[in-house]
């Protein structure tokens, strides 16, 4: 089925905003940071280490998700590294779609973060258009760093090139068709003016985003706790039996066999990694991951 003029225009506008905000404004900042810190920045283009142009990573369930940017430790053009940053983007014209989009982003990114939780990775999202405050808070409350460019900011930026993109659901199809053609015929000079305007609109958001990223990846370990746990396993059939059984535990003279190691790694920025190992060699391998950071 053919797309409606409003849908075609919305898609084209979203693609243009993505190209400018992600690749003209944010990517240079990410590249500069990655180069200085000897990280590897991946984005959508051909790379021998993976197939196709998309940046695709699996989550803990084995599902694959395409992302806009991933920063890796020890990555090269020919070798995938250990991911420590995941960034996704989205454009929405109407707030009625924003909550669903926020949940969609969460559903894609958080299971990836869970899979790589031992790296305590940074994860963020770049949003433009109409997103409700609850949708934005939902993402932030789940640990996302957010760059948000409101629709009014987008409209304001386009006014620099005398282009009115303030359309709504009552706008006639022919107006969308005219705007689509105008969007399609923007010159390089128009796009540069747009870039400068959008950079002005998003500067504070981008600076705050990069500061959060920097604090995450430049953090240092402030404390490491290794707890070897020994004990005897007690099993009960009910909560009442478990409560009663507490009186039988020999806390003052504990006995039992080795169960596992618990490890707590604290960082200076309040990030914490907690892990459990039943094998000393695996624990050693885990700790050695941090020695090369």
């Amino acid at each position: 089925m053919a797309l409606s003029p409003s849908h075609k225009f919305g898609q084209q506008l979203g693609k243009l905003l993505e190209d400018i905000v992600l690749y003209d404004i944010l990517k240079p900042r990410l590249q500069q940071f990655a180069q200085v810190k000897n990280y590897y920045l991946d984005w959508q283009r051909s790379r021998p280490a993976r197939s196709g142009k998309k940046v695709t990573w699996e989550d803990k369930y084995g599902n694959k998700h395409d992302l806009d940017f991933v920063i890796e430790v020890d990555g090269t053009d020919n070798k995938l590294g250990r991911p420590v940053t995941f960034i996704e983007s989205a454009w929405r014209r109407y707030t009625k779609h924003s909550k669903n989009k926020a949940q969609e982003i969460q559903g894609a990114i958080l299971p990836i973060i869970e899979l790589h939780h031992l790296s305590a990775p940074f994860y963020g999202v770049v949003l433009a258009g109409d997103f409700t405050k609850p949708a934005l808070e939902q993402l932030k409350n789940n640990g996302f760093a957010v760059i948000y460019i409101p629709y009014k900011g987008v409209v304001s930026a386009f006014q620099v090139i005398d282009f009115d993109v303030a359309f709504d659901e009552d706008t006639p199809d022919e107006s969308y068709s005219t705007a689509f053609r105008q969007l399609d015929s923007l010159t390089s000079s128009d796009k540069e003016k747009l870039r400068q305007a959008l950079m002005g609109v998003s500067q504070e958001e981008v600076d705050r985003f990069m500061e959060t990223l920097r604090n995450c990846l430049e953090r240092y370990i402030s404390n490491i706790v290794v707890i070897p746990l020994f004990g005897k396993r007690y099993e009960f059939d009910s909560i009442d039996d478990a409560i009663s059984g507490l009186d039988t535990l020999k806390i003052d003279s504990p006995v039992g066999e080795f169960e596992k190691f618990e490890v707590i790694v604290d960082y200076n920025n309040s990030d914490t990694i907690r892990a459990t190992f039943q094998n000393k060699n695996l624990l050693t391998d885990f700790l050695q991951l941090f020695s090369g950071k």
Side-chain angles (χ1 to χ4, degrees):
M1 185 174 66
L3 295 177
S4 67
S6 62
H7 196 98
K8 285 177 61 178
F9 175 72
Q11 279 190 334
Q12 188 79 345
L13 180 59
K15 179 66 169 62
L16 177 61
L17 289 171
E18 178 183 282
D19 288 343
I20 294 175
V21 176
L22 286 183
Y23 298 108
D24 292 342
I25 297 176
L26 182 59
K27 191 181 79 170
R29 301 280 298 272
L30 294 173
Q31 282 181 308
Q32 181 181 32
F33 173 80
Q35 289 169 358
V36 169
K37 299 300 178 181
N38 202 29
Y39 289 113
Y40 185 89
L41 175 66
D42 196 13
W43 69 92
Q44 296 186 31
R45 91 281 195 223
S46 296
R47 177 186 176 189
R50 53 173 169 71
S51 60
K53 293 186 176 182
K54 295 182 178 181
V55 182
T56 303
W57 285 82
E58 286 190 358
D59 64 24
K60 70 174 186 177
Y61 304 111
N63 301 315
K64 295 182 178 181
H65 304 277
D66 298 330
L67 299 140
D68 288 302
F69 296 112
V70 172
I71 294 178
E72 304 166 11
V73 174
D74 295 328
T76 67
D77 285 344
N78 297 294
K79 183 188 75 172
L80 289 176
R82 176 164 55 89
V84 291
T85 294
F86 300 93
I87 299 173
E88 183 58 290
S89 67
W91 149 260
R92 281 295 178 271
R93 170 59 188 94
Y94 300 109
T95 55
K96 63 184 179 182
H97 302 304
S98 65
K99 185 175 182 180
N100 288 341
K101 189 59 185 178
Q103 291 173 337
E104 179 184 321
I105 292 171
Q106 275 185 225
I109 301 294
L110 293 184
I112 300 177
I113 300 305
E114 290 178 39
L115 179 63
H116 298 282
H117 71 280
L118 294 183
S119 297
F122 169 92
Y123 48 107
V125 61
V126 183
L127 305 175
D130 274 330
F131 283 83
T132 62
K133 184 177 180 180
L136 295 172
E137 290 300 321
Q138 179 179 326
L139 289 167
K140 292 175 181 178
N141 290 340
N142 279 277
F144 285 84
V146 178
I147 294 175
Y148 175 47
I149 305 175
Y151 185 66
K152 288 182 179 179
V154 173
V155 171
S156 175
F158 272 84
Q159 288 174 348
V160 172
I161 58 172
D162 297 321
F163 190 166
D164 184 8
V165 295
F167 299 101
D168 57 34
E169 292 177 302
D170 295 324
T171 300
D173 283 352
E174 61 182 51
S175 295
Y176 278 116
S177 297
T178 300
F180 178 85
R181 290 192 294 270
Q182 185 177 352
L183 201 60
D184 202 38
S185 62
L186 291 180
T187 65
S188 296
S189 176
D190 291 332
K191 291 179 181 179
E192 176 58 24
K193 290 177 182 178
L194 264 178
R195 187 182 76 85
Q196 294 294 334
L198 286 168
M199 187 178 296
V201 169
S202 63
Q203 188 69 54
E204 290 186 10
E205 293 275 326
V206 173
D207 287 346
R208 187 160 48 246
F209 186 89
M210 289 301 302
E211 183 66 19
T212 304
L213 169 64
R214 193 173 294 109
N215 288 339
C216 180
L217 298 193
E218 289 183 348
R219 66 197 172 185
Y220 59 83
I221 293 173
S222 59
N223 191 47
I224 300 174
V225 178
V226 178
I227 307 172
L229 298 179
F230 297 80
K232 178 181 177 182
R233 183 182 298 273
Y234 294 85
E235 296 185 3
F236 304 95
D237 294 326
S238 69
I239 295 297
D240 290 339
D241 289 344
I243 293 173
S244 299
L246 291 177
D247 294 332
T248 68
L249 299 184
K250 298 179 180 180
I251 298 176
D252 296 328
S253 55
V255 295
E257 299 180 352
F258 172 76
E259 287 286 328
K260 59 187 176 181
F261 292 103
E262 285 197 356
V263 188
I264 304 171
V265 181
D266 292 324
Y267 288 91
N268 65 306
N269 67 345
S270 298
D271 282 348
T272 297
I273 297 175
R274 296 177 180 270
T276 301
F277 297 91
Q278 294 185 347
N279 181 288
K280 187 188 297 183
N281 292 331
L282 292 177
L283 171 58
T284 301
D285 290 342
F286 167 73
L287 292 174
Q288 285 177 341
L289 290 175
F290 299 94
S291 63
K293 290 189 71 175

